[in-house]
């Protein structure tokens, strides 16, 4: 099932959405990346070591995304048994993408209510991350990233809704992995204090363009879902 209703492979689309969501990622995780960088003792803060720590952190984070994607997609296999349920999941995925776009563009913050639900679980997970600080070894960075991968995030939840519509654990994991890789440039730039790239990603025009493109994907999905429902109704008549 291609929840976008497009010929563009879902994994590629997820990667692009990750890139588009870079501004939100900087706001949510940029501080964590900076803290990870500055927690390293000055004598060990050379480019090679920092690169390894930041990459390990993000690999851990993306691994958690993939696990979550597989779990949610497994639930989708149960929910999508009936044709009507499959269509409902596609509509749900499209709506979540629109909410994600509104969130990225700062037009409406309704997705924060979804994050509030995740915060109830996060308070039990977050202490494990604190125990790993300060991070000076690669396994520590990977473990910390794996913990912070469960940080309540409306952007991630929107993509998980898409994984749910995939209704295939393997494809759900790949979708979230591609999304995580898409967020990587923004977060690595933040870790290295690349102010120019951060400013570009945060710029209102960049956010607006990203939001409009995501909304375009979502509307195309809704149109495809409508066509599928119409064809199913005609064939059953």
């Amino acid at each position: 099932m291609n929840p976008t209703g497009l010929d563009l492979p879902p994994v590629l689309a997820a990667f692009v959405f990750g890139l588009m969501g870079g501004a939100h990622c900087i706001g949510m995780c940029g501080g964590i990346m900076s803290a990870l960088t500055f927690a390293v003792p000055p004598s060990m803060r050379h480019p090679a070591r920092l690169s390894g720590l930041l990459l390990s952190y993000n690999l851990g984070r993306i691994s958690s995304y993939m696990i979550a994607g597989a779990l949610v997609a497994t639930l989708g296999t149960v929910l999508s048994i009936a044709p009507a349920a499959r269509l409902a999941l596609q509509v749900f995925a499209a709506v979540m993408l629109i909410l994600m776009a509104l969130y990225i563009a700062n037009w409406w913050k309704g997705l924060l209510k979804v994050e509030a639900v995740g915060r109830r679980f996060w308070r039990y997970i977050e202490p494990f991350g604190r125990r790993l600080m300060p991070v000076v070894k690669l396994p520590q960075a990977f473990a910390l990233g794996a913990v912070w991968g469960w940080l309540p995030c409306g952007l991630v939840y929107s993509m998980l809704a898409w994984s749910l519509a995939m209704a295939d654990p393997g494809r759900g994991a790949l979708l979230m992995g591609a999304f995580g890789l898409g967020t990587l440039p923004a977060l690595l730039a933040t870790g290295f204090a690349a102010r120019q790239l951060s400013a570009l990603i945060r710029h209102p025009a960049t956010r607006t363009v990203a939001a409009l493109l995501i909304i375009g994907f979502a509307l195309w999905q809704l149109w495809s879902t409508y066509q599928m429902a119409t064809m199913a109704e005609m064939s059953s008549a």
Side-chain angles (χ1 to χ4, degrees), residues 152-163:
C153 174
L155 194 65
V156 173
Y157 293 161
S158 297
M159 297 306 300
L160 286 175
W162 194 2
S163 295

Side-chain angles (χ1 to χ4, degrees), residues 19-31:
L19 287 174
M20 293 176 181
H24 175 76
C25 293
I26 288 176
M28 286 290 293
C29 299

Side-chain angles (χ1 to χ4, degrees), residues 117-137:
V117 177
R119 291 193 190 99
R120 298 179 183 178
F121 300 97
W122 173 243
R123 62 185 179 184
Y124 298 105
I125 301 172
E126 188 267 342
F128 293 100
R130 277 194 234 159
R131 295 173 191 169
L132 294 166
M133 298 290 286
V135 175
V136 294
K137 297 181 180 179

Side-chain angles (χ1 to χ4, degrees), residues 121-214:
F121 300 97
W122 173 243
R123 62 185 179 184
Y124 298 105
I125 301 172
E126 188 267 342
F128 293 100
R130 277 194 234 159
R131 295 173 191 169
L132 294 166
M133 298 290 286
V135 175
V136 294
K137 297 181 180 179
L138 297 184
Q140 276 181 290
F142 182 90
L144 180 62
V147 171
W148 283 96
W150 299 95
L151 178 73
C153 174
L155 194 65
V156 173
Y157 293 161
S158 297
M159 297 306 300
L160 286 175
W162 194 2
S163 295
L164 180 69
M166 297 294 290
D168 181 306
R171 297 180 71 187
L174 286 175
L175 192 78
M176 292 304 297
F179 167 75
L181 289 175
T183 65
L184 198 56
L187 289 180
L188 287 179
T190 302
F192 287 120
R195 295 182 180 179
Q196 293 83 357
L197 180 57
S198 296
L200 174 63
I201 294 175
R202 287 173 178 268
H203 196 281
T206 305
R207 288 173 174 258
T208 298
V209 171
L212 291 175
L213 288 173
I214 293 173

